[in-house]
Amino acid sequence: MSGLAETPISAKEGGNLYKKRSLPVSESCSKRVKINEMSAEEKISNFSLVNPNSNGIKMSSTSMNKPGVTAKKLIIKNFKSKPNLPDNYQETTWSKLREAVVAIQTSKSIAYSLEELYQAVENMCSHKMASQLYVNLTNLVEAHVKANIEQFLSESMDRQVFLKRMDDCWRAHCRQMIMIRSIFLYLDRTYVLQNPSIHSIWDMGLDLFRHHIAMNTLVQTRTVDGLLLLIERERGGDSVDISLLKSLLRMLSDLQIYQEAFEHKFLQATERLYAAEGQRLMRELAVPEYLAHVEKRLKEENDRLLHYLDPSTKWQLVVVVERQLLGEHVAGILGKGLAALLDAPRLHDLATLYTLFSRVKDGLAELCHHFNGYIKKKGRTIVIEPERDKTMVTELLDFKEQLDHVVNTCFQRNDKFIYSMREAFEFFINQRQNKPAELIAKFVDLKLRAGNKEATEEELERLLDKIMVLFRFIHGKDVFEAFYKKDLAKRLLVGKSASVDAEKSMLSKLKQECGGGFTCKLEGMFKDMELSKDINITYKQHLSASTETSGPGGVELSVHILTMGFWPTYRACEVRLPTELTRQQEHFTKFYLAKHSGRKLHWQPTLGHCVLRANFAQGNKELQVSLFQALVLLLFNDGDNLSFEDIKVSTNIEEGELRRTLQSLACGKARVLSKAPRGRDVQDLDHFSFNADFTNKLFRIKINQIQMKETSEEQKATEERVFQDRQYQIDAAIVRVMKMRKALSHNLLISELYNQLKFPVKPSDLKKRIESLIDRDYMERDKDNPNQYNYVA
């Protein structure tokens, strides 16, 4: 301790109790004072003999015995100079330390205690011998390391034996350096810390081992080749010493030669292995098995990273495996097996495919592209083949539901896949113009009819939601509207709607999707039906209050008043009605026109229906039939056997309609008429008679389904009406654009029309409508430029 240390000691009079502070002892003082046993008198005399000029206690013996005298301070001083060391102290001490180090390196017992060796190092450092001590130690360790290189230079040594010997040498070197450092710890914490340019004792040991053993070309090559061979065997399924691999790779990492000596060669070997394996397995395995193998390989490589590889290798290793097993075979995997996986669908394998491809550059983009192509190809086969028309909508709904499930569960609801699926559906569903829209409308009609008992209200609502998804993909929504309106009219007028709530729910969905303009006529149809109920109630009250009766036949009339602009256009036809019906019609017409002057009623018999009471041998029945069927059946009140021609003349029903009517009565399930000769079709020479022996377990029998069946003429008429409406919309769009622009070139006009029109249209059709408008003087060609149109105000 440098300087003076003053420690005051106070003494109190009348007692022997002293209060002292502990005295600090210098760390550099190497001498210890031994106190021998002596008598109290001897101790007192020793203290009194202390030289006042040396370190000690200076005290007056009389002051302690006199009462009232103040205690004086006791001063303790350090030695003014370090004790002198013997002349050969450095050589002697180093010899002792050298002997200990050699004993450690040769695995022999040390003759001195570790405390003594540590103290020796401390003393040498305290007396400025640290520099030489460090040099001596470095030389000693270097000599030992150099001596170890010889054992690795044998050419005939087995690789496994070589690696084991290298591992033993490395482990022994580490143990030795740990023990040597513990002895020279004082040197490491003083001299080394004060000199940043030199290595710590541990780093010095690593540097020597690296320079003289690990960096030796032959040793390094044999070590790395041996490690690569062990890893190759382990990848092939053989059992290897994992601890040996881990220890040697840790050695390379600790020596800071892992990257330059091992990693590059390891990655090259990995790339060669998996490149060959990928090519071979792509030929031999099916896609699901190949994906499982890739997943297994990636897991194995991650396990290697956990068990013995350096973490810094992880990114590069995984990239190599993914590139060789996946990246190089993306197109092959998708082309070979994606369609089969989606057809099943094999959800687990698809999820694996998505997960693996997400790890490869552009993997998901390629998967999405092939997914889109698969949807277009399979969807087109469903839509384009006419023989699949009956099941088209059901197949499309199932296909969409399957793909939704795949995207949600396997493709993690990836937005790109969702958008790609929508684009693909919109593409293939419009490959066949108008037909999908027509079939979707008919499918909705089938599900909303009263006879459909397949689903509950909740299931029907979910089905309508799915149908609306398909509806969104259709370009020709006007075709859907035309067929939907025609079928809705039949359901409402014939009373075949399954549920008013379901009908209004569908209407609400269409309105939300296409706007109020799309559904205004459909809403008008429902409004007419509600008004008709009120009119019929009023009419019955009128009959009750009137002196007139409903006629001798007891006919009860119910009329639907339809606004012509809301409902489909029906072909006008005149049929011969019984007197009772004619009189009821006239009476109702008089009643209605009295309330609504200026209006005109047109009776439409094609959609009328009746309930007849019939007497059969087995009992009375009620027959629920169409008006045409009722007119035919009423003829048999006056005759038992009628020919086709007789019926035709008596009813004035159109020939094709009459054949369908007679076929439903004589050839269907409820054969209330008998036909001669028997057969499925109605011929001109056929005769019909009333089937008095008709039996049925039901009291009321429905045989008016003929009205729900669509004839080919009706279908053609609906299509023609759609096309005619489209012409009007095209004309309106052309005039609207020209009125705003005044003058426009042909190409710009066509482009504007494509933006405005919501249904598919060909350029040739647009050109025809432009010519038509020029002929009608709505627009004209420019005199100077024939390709330019001018609006005519």
Side-chain angles (χ1 to χ4, degrees), residues 281-282 284-296 332-334 336-342 344-353 356:
L281 294 182
M282 275 297 294
E284 297 175 359
L285 299 180
V287 168
E289 288 76 19
Y290 184 80
L291 294 175
H293 177 78
V294 174
E295 200 173 32
K296 175 189 168 191
I333 292 171
L334 295 175
K336 184 178 179 181
L338 180 61
L341 295 180
L342 289 169
R346 299 183 63 161
L347 299 179
H348 175 73
D349 293 326
L350 285 169
T352 302
L353 178 67
L356 292 175

Side-chain angles (χ1 to χ4, degrees), residues 15-27:
N16 296 322
L17 179 62
Y18 295 92
K19 292 184 179 179
K20 301 180 180 178
R21 284 171 54 186
S22 58
L23 307 180
V25 181
S26 169
E27 292 183 1

Side-chain angles (χ1 to χ4, degrees), residues 706-722:
I706 184 173
Q707 290 175 307
M708 301 302 290
K709 294 178 181 178
E710 183 183 46
T711 63
S712 58
E713 291 81 6
E714 285 180 329
Q715 182 173 345
K716 289 179 182 178
T718 305
E719 291 175 353
E720 289 175 1
R721 189 163 58 250
V722 171

Side-chain angles (χ1 to χ4, degrees), residues 88-148:
N88 62 344
Y89 180 79
Q90 183 174 357
E91 290 78 11
T92 305
T93 307
W94 167 244
S95 176
K96 187 190 301 183
L97 293 171
R98 182 180 181 281
E99 183 182 343
V101 171
V102 172
I104 291 171
Q105 291 173 340
T106 55
S107 301
K108 296 179 180 178
S109 60
I110 305 173
Y112 310 98
S113 68
L114 293 178
E115 292 82 359
E116 185 177 354
L117 294 172
Y118 180 90
Q119 189 64 51
V121 172
E122 182 180 350
N123 291 339
M124 291 185 73
C125 292
S126 300
H127 289 84
K128 299 182 180 180
M129 303 176 188
S131 176
Q132 187 61 41
L133 181 62
Y134 183 84
V135 171
N136 292 343
L137 178 62
T138 302
N139 293 334
L140 187 59
V141 174
E142 184 175 17
H144 176 71
V145 171
K146 283 182 178 180
N148 284 332

Side-chain angles (χ1 to χ4, degrees), residues 511-569:
K511 186 173 184 179
Q512 186 177 4
E513 184 68 29
C514 302
F518 187 85
T519 58
C520 62
K521 293 183 179 180
L522 303 177
E523 291 172 337
M525 293 166 68
F526 281 96
K527 188 174 181 180
D528 282 349
M529 295 300 292
E530 293 172 0
L531 292 174
S532 296
K533 288 181 182 179
D534 296 337
I535 291 172
N536 280 302
I537 292 172
T538 307
Y539 179 62
K540 288 180 181 179
Q541 293 172 349
H542 170 73
L543 288 178
S544 300
S546 175
T547 55
E548 299 182 38
T549 64
S550 61
V555 177
E556 185 177 335
L557 181 68
S558 179
V559 180
H560 294 300
I561 307 297
L562 312 180
T563 305
M564 187 175 291
F566 294 159
W567 296 77
T569 303

Side-chain angles (χ1 to χ4, degrees), residues 46 56 191 208 237 306 323 387 428 485 572 595 625 701 785:
N46 284 340
Y191 175 73
L208 292 173
L306 290 174
R323 182 173 64 247
E387 59 270 18
F428 76 71
K485 183 167 75 170
K595 285 185 171 292
V625 294
I701 303 160
N785 184 4

Side-chain angles (χ1 to χ4, degrees), residues 313-333:
T313 309
K314 180 175 182 178
W315 183 84
Q316 297 177 77
L317 174 61
V318 171
V319 167
V320 167
V321 179
E322 289 172 350
R323 182 173 64 247
Q324 295 303 326
L325 293 182
L326 290 172
E328 297 293 332
H329 306 289
V330 166
I333 292 171

Side-chain angles (χ1 to χ4, degrees), residues 1 26-32 78-86 89 123 126-127 129:
M1 181 182 292
S26 169
E27 292 183 1
S28 62
C29 179
S30 60
K31 294 184 178 181
R32 296 182 180 179
N78 285 335
F79 290 113
K80 291 188 176 180
S81 61
K82 295 179 181 178
N84 296 324
L85 297 177
Y89 180 79
N123 291 339
S126 300
H127 289 84
M129 303 176 188

